[in-house]
Amino acid sequence: MSTDTIPHLYVDCDIPDGVTLVEWRRDKVAAERRTREEAREARAAKRAATARKRLLPRLGTRPALRPRFA
């Protein structure tokens, strides 16, 4: 079989020109890892903020403080 009779098949892909498959996969995995870490940090920050909020005294439950001389 000669190479002249074999049809060329072109496939659309996400890999840009000049980038190897290994580099593309490495970058893709690193980006996904960063996204997961950012989401984890956001959840941790939200939990910390909620915990701090619980520790603060609730100002609405106390009577208003008024000076006695007024």
Side-chain angles (χ1 to χ4, degrees):
M1 207 174 187
S2 72
T3 58
D4 295 336
T5 60
I6 299 174
H8 292 282
L9 299 176
Y10 294 96
V11 179
D12 289 333
C13 67
D14 297 338
I15 302 172
D17 292 336
V19 178
T20 64
L21 181 61
V22 173
E23 292 169 344
W24 180 77
R25 284 183 178 165
R26 187 182 307 131
D27 293 342
K28 185 177 177 184
V29 168
E32 290 172 355
R33 185 175 295 128
R34 278 192 304 272
T35 303
R36 285 192 307 267
E37 289 172 357
E38 289 170 359
R40 188 179 310 121
E41 289 171 1
R43 285 192 305 267
K46 186 176 179 182
R47 280 194 303 270
T50 303
R52 280 193 303 271
K53 192 175 182 181
R54 279 191 215 125
L55 293 175
L56 292 175
R58 297 189 180 179
L59 299 177
T61 58
R62 295 183 187 168
L65 300 175
R66 296 185 201 132
R68 291 184 176 253
F69 54 85

